[in-house]
Amino acid sequence: MTDFRNKVVYQIYPKSFKDSDGDGVGDLRGIIEKLDYLAELGVDYLWITPFFLSPQKDNGYDVADYTAIDPRFGSMEDFEELVNAAGKRGLKIMLDMVLCHTSDQHLWFQKALGGDETYRRYYILRDGRNKKGPEDPGEPPTNWQCAFGGSAWQWEPRLGKWYLHLHDVSQPDLDWTNPRVREELAGVVRFWKERGVAGFRFDVINLISKPERFEDDTEGLGRRLFADGPHVHEYLRELVASAGLEGMVTVGEMASTDLENCLLYTRPDAHELSMVFNFHHLKVDYRDGDKWALMEPDIMELKRLFAAWQTGMAEGGGWNALFWCNHDQPRIVSRFGDEKTYRKESAKMLAACIHLMRGTPYIYQGEEIGMTNPGYTSIDQYRDVESLNHYQILLDKGKTEGEALEILSVRSRDNGRTPMQWSEEPHGGFSEAEPWIPVAANFAEVNVASDLGEKDSIFSFYRELIRIRKEMPIVAEGGIWFLEEENPDVLAYERRWNNESLIVLCNFRRQYARLIKGCVSDYEKDGYRKRIGNYQGTGAGLRPYEVIVYHKVG
Ligand code: GLC
């Protein structure tokens, strides 16, 4: 059995997980304090988002030194202790490698600014268009937009060129056509591998290979031109070989990707990655594809996307990462569930829905206790560069402050970045000091201590899902077929393996829902037994946000 199929990954955003030294910012020693909690949940890998030296313009995804730990998070000794203490509990560490760009504070960019030709060649520098003279910067080389709003090009007089930044202006993109850049980055990965890291997540890794020719995107903002670029597969295979990644668990974050490329990234014979994140299923509430235009989630579209990706990856021999939440996404109970009346029910339904699909599930800190969006009402509460930029863009487009704040309260990445709610103590037990970002107001009701205190806790439901994956090979190994495809309310699928069958029925609505097939309890007449669910007993249909999982052998 391939090593990652029956594993579960837990994502830690260290800044908001646990503060051990009372400065309002989470840290590595805070993670060490909570290892018993994570072992109790039963996860296998801890993916820790970047804690490297960084000016924190993009919360650590702007790396100034790949092999140094930012003192606000701790020291190399703390990291070694974390690896050892985790290992003693059967937990392995995965690190986040941000290899598409550096911070503008990185020594390489600083040397480029100083005129060093070797380092100028590490970045993507171009002349402007329509220059009126040698001193005139002209206009940006292409019309490409960066992910956080505005042009993807910045004029830099010290370089005498425009540099490309697909993210924040402080995150210049590296030039992967330069073999020296690729060798440096492989060295970074080796550095961490040698320190006991068991796996890696590669940030926006399908954006590393830019198109051969830089031209305007006549249909959009440029992304379709630089996602899954011409040499991306070749570069990944080279990285795997030169950093010695074969046999390690690796996951690539793939922006605006497609199924065909994801098969190439993850088929075992491709020797690229173990699995990939794609985001199509998290855009079904974007109106006309616009993240900043609100819409109720389109559940039929969600069902279509899961069916296409799950069956497509299975048929082509690829492997998915399964997830709803991460540090870039709002909380899933607030989004596809009901954070008020059915918080527990919908949190559990959403968990079972993806954990029993074909792929490796990821749990994002706080998801296992049903944490919600914080519902911020003032721009002062936001920290994220993307949110702050888009707030201004929304105002410039004529939205009122109230309208812009409402959009942010649904869409901002900060919704997923609020401090972990450990207890009803001040600041949710996250820190003794005022946290770097405000805690959600509901911390006194929604927290680890109160959830664990309940018999049917969300935490224990997650733990049971993890146990099911370990005990029942059908979850990791089985094929997948979608059911009830025309049903507007219920997402349903069957897993099959040898002579076993597992049926998962999920009601995505606040109302009672029926199956097209007939009564839910008919499965029992067919010899199925309920394995797990979020309500007692079974009925003719599904209660609000009900999930039922049936199992049959033979
Ligand atoms: C990824 C990260 C996100 C970051 C971006 C740029 O999408 O998940 O947080 O802002 O890459 O590094």
Side-chain angles (χ1 to χ4, degrees):
M1 187 189 290
T2 327
D3 190 36
F4 49 85
R5 292 186 171 225
N6 66 351
K7 301 292 189 284
V8 179
V9 183
Y10 186 94
Q11 183 193 348
I12 294 177
Y13 196 65
K15 213 168 180 178
S16 296
F17 189 63
K18 180 73 177 80
D19 172 19
S20 74
D21 58 1
D23 62 358
V25 177
D27 44 49
L28 297 179
R29 302 207 69 84
I31 302 176
I32 297 174
E33 280 178 27
K34 296 296 181 186
L35 288 173
D36 286 335
Y37 168 78
L38 298 167
E40 172 75 10
L41 183 57
V43 297
D44 303 281
Y45 289 91
L46 306 178
W47 150 29
I48 308 175
T49 64
F51 47 77
F52 316 112
L53 196 69
S54 160
Q56 300 282 318
K57 292 270 172 28
D58 187 20
N59 281 354
Y61 284 92
D62 47 329
V63 181
D65 185 343
Y66 288 108
T67 56
I69 294 178
D70 197 306
R72 83 189 80 209
F73 293 117
S75 63
M76 198 55 89
E77 289 70 44
D78 296 331
F79 179 72
E80 279 160 17
E81 191 177 327
L82 171 60
V83 173
N84 287 330
K88 285 199 186 108
R89 292 162 176 85
L91 298 165
K92 297 191 173 116
I93 304 294
M94 280 171 81
L95 290 195
D96 208 323
M97 296 285 108
V98 192
L99 308 183
C100 187
H101 45 259
T102 66
S103 158
D104 59 3
Q105 299 305 305
H106 196 289
L107 190 62
W108 301 339
F109 196 71
Q110 291 298 316
K111 285 195 172 163
L113 288 178
D116 186 328
E117 198 45 48
T118 300
Y119 291 95
R120 285 171 62 97
R121 285 204 287 266
Y122 275 38
Y123 295 93
I124 299 172
L125 313 182
R126 291 286 187 280
D127 286 322
R129 285 193 294 198
N130 302 326
K131 282 159 70 95
K132 296 201 179 61
E135 298 302 310
D136 178 24
E139 292 159 18
T142 66
N143 68 347
W144 304 350
Q145 297 283 298
C146 79
F148 302 151
S151 172
W153 294 98
Q154 177 67 27
W155 168 253
E156 174 47 70
R158 283 168 291 176
L159 297 168
K161 300 270 182 189
W162 295 77
Y163 69 84
L164 182 68
H165 61 90
L166 296 183
H167 294 84
D168 186 49
V169 60
S170 69
Q171 292 166 302
D173 278 57
L174 286 162
D175 185 356
W176 278 65
T177 65
N178 180 346
R180 207 172 142 161
V181 167
R182 303 201 300 274
E183 185 39 47
E184 291 257 27
L185 296 173
V188 169
V189 178
R190 280 194 297 269
F191 175 91
W192 289 107
K193 189 183 166 194
E194 281 156 17
R195 275 152 191 83
V197 167
F200 294 98
R201 179 246 191 204
F202 293 101
D203 189 62
V204 288
I205 199 70
N206 70 328
L207 304 184
I208 55 176
S209 173
K210 311 312 191 242
E212 309 279 342
R213 291 181 46 202
F214 283 27
E215 34 189 33
D216 278 356
D217 183 358
T218 49
E219 287 171 31
L221 306 177
R223 190 148 276 215
R224 62 188 189 90
L225 302 180
F226 44 74
D228 303 317
H231 301 286
V232 65
H233 295 287
E234 171 195 325
Y235 293 158
L236 274 172
R237 281 195 296 273
E238 182 188 289
L239 180 68
V240 168
S242 70
L245 294 175
E246 198 83 55
M248 297 184 87
V249 175
T250 52
V251 55
E253 186 200 27
M254 303 300 173
S256 309
T257 190
D258 59 24
L259 182 62
E260 196 187 332
N261 274 293
C262 286
L263 287 171
L264 293 173
Y265 291 129
T266 61
R267 274 182 10 205
D269 61 356
H271 304 284
E272 295 185 23
L273 299 168
S274 313
M275 58 190 129
V276 282
F277 294 115
N278 82 76
F279 297 90
H280 298 287
H281 65 299
L282 294 175
K283 295 181 179 167
V284 299
D285 52 1
Y286 291 6
R287 182 146 47 80
D288 301 325
D290 179 0
K291 170 170 176 174
W292 306 99
L294 301 185
M295 187 181 90
E296 283 296 307
D298 179 346
I299 301 301
M300 281 308 261
E301 180 63 6
L302 181 75
K303 287 175 45 145
R304 270 194 294 276
L305 284 165
F306 272 136
W309 276 84
Q310 284 280 307
T311 46
M313 288 292 262
E315 281 161 12
W319 195 252
N320 284 302
L322 304 168
F323 72 107
W324 290 122
C325 301
N326 66 30
H327 63 289
D328 296 328
Q329 298 292 332
R331 292 286 180 179
I332 202 64
V333 268
S334 304
R335 190 173 184 183
F336 295 171
D338 179 336
E339 64 174 28
K340 298 208 167 64
T341 317
Y342 297 107
R343 188 179 65 83
K344 280 176 73 170
E345 290 83 354
S346 58
K348 291 177 186 177
M349 181 281 284
L350 290 161
C353 177
I354 56 166
H355 274 245
L356 300 174
M357 283 185 189
R358 182 179 172 280
T360 298
Y362 284 65
I363 302 170
Y364 177 61
Q365 65 184 45
E367 185 185 331
E368 75 281 13
I369 56 160
M371 271 176 64
T372 65
N373 290 348
Y376 290 157
T377 51
S378 156
I379 194 63
D380 302 336
Q381 293 168 299
Y382 289 94
R383 304 287 178 267
D384 171 31
V385 55
E386 183 198 43
S387 308
L388 297 173
N389 286 353
H390 277 276
Y391 180 69
Q392 194 50 52
I393 292 171
L394 288 166
L395 295 184
D396 292 345
K397 282 187 180 158
K399 298 272 182 219
T400 64
E401 284 183 16
E403 287 165 343
L405 283 170
E406 152 135 40
I407 294 173
L408 250 54
S409 75
V410 179
R411 290 292 146 83
S412 167
R413 304 196 297 180
D414 280 339
N415 285 309
R417 299 178 178 184
T418 62
M420 181 74 181
Q421 293 162 208
W422 293 103
S423 70
E424 56 175 28
E425 305 284 303
H427 314 304
F430 160 73
S431 172
E432 281 163 19
E434 192 65 36
W436 69 278
I437 187 169
V439 183
N442 64 7
F443 74 88
E445 303 92 64
V446 179
N447 62 62
V448 170
S450 72
D451 188 66
L452 291 181
E454 294 188 31
K455 195 166 84 323
D456 58 347
S457 65
I458 304 173
F459 181 93
S460 62
F461 192 86
Y462 270 87
R463 194 173 48 193
E464 188 60 16
L465 288 172
I466 297 169
R467 188 177 304 147
I468 290 175
R469 172 170 294 266
K470 309 277 177 204
E471 283 174 2
M472 299 172 69
I474 187 171
V475 177
E477 300 296 318
I480 187 160
W481 289 266
F482 281 76
L483 310 171
E484 297 281 320
E485 285 181 289
E486 303 302 318
N487 192 323
D489 307 318
V490 177
L491 187 155
Y493 56 89
E494 178 178 7
R495 306 293 311 275
R496 268 187 252 145
W497 184 70
N498 293 341
N499 62 343
E500 285 183 48
S501 161
L502 195 74
I503 303 278
V504 181
L505 306 171
C506 306
N507 178 6
F508 270 74
R509 306 287 181 197
R510 233 167 244 116
Q511 293 85 26
Y512 197 79
R514 297 190 178 280
L515 299 185
I516 295 171
K517 172 188 153 74
C519 283
V520 169
S521 49
D522 286 351
Y523 279 106
E524 291 165 25
K525 292 190 198 131
D526 289 345
Y528 281 92
R529 289 187 43 214
K530 185 168 166 182
R531 179 64 184 82
I532 187 172
N534 57 351
Y535 280 85
Q536 295 295 320
T538 48
L542 294 168
R543 288 159 278 187
Y545 299 102
E546 181 164 7
V547 59
I548 297 186
V549 180
Y550 279 123
H551 182 229
K552 176 164 110 167
V553 182

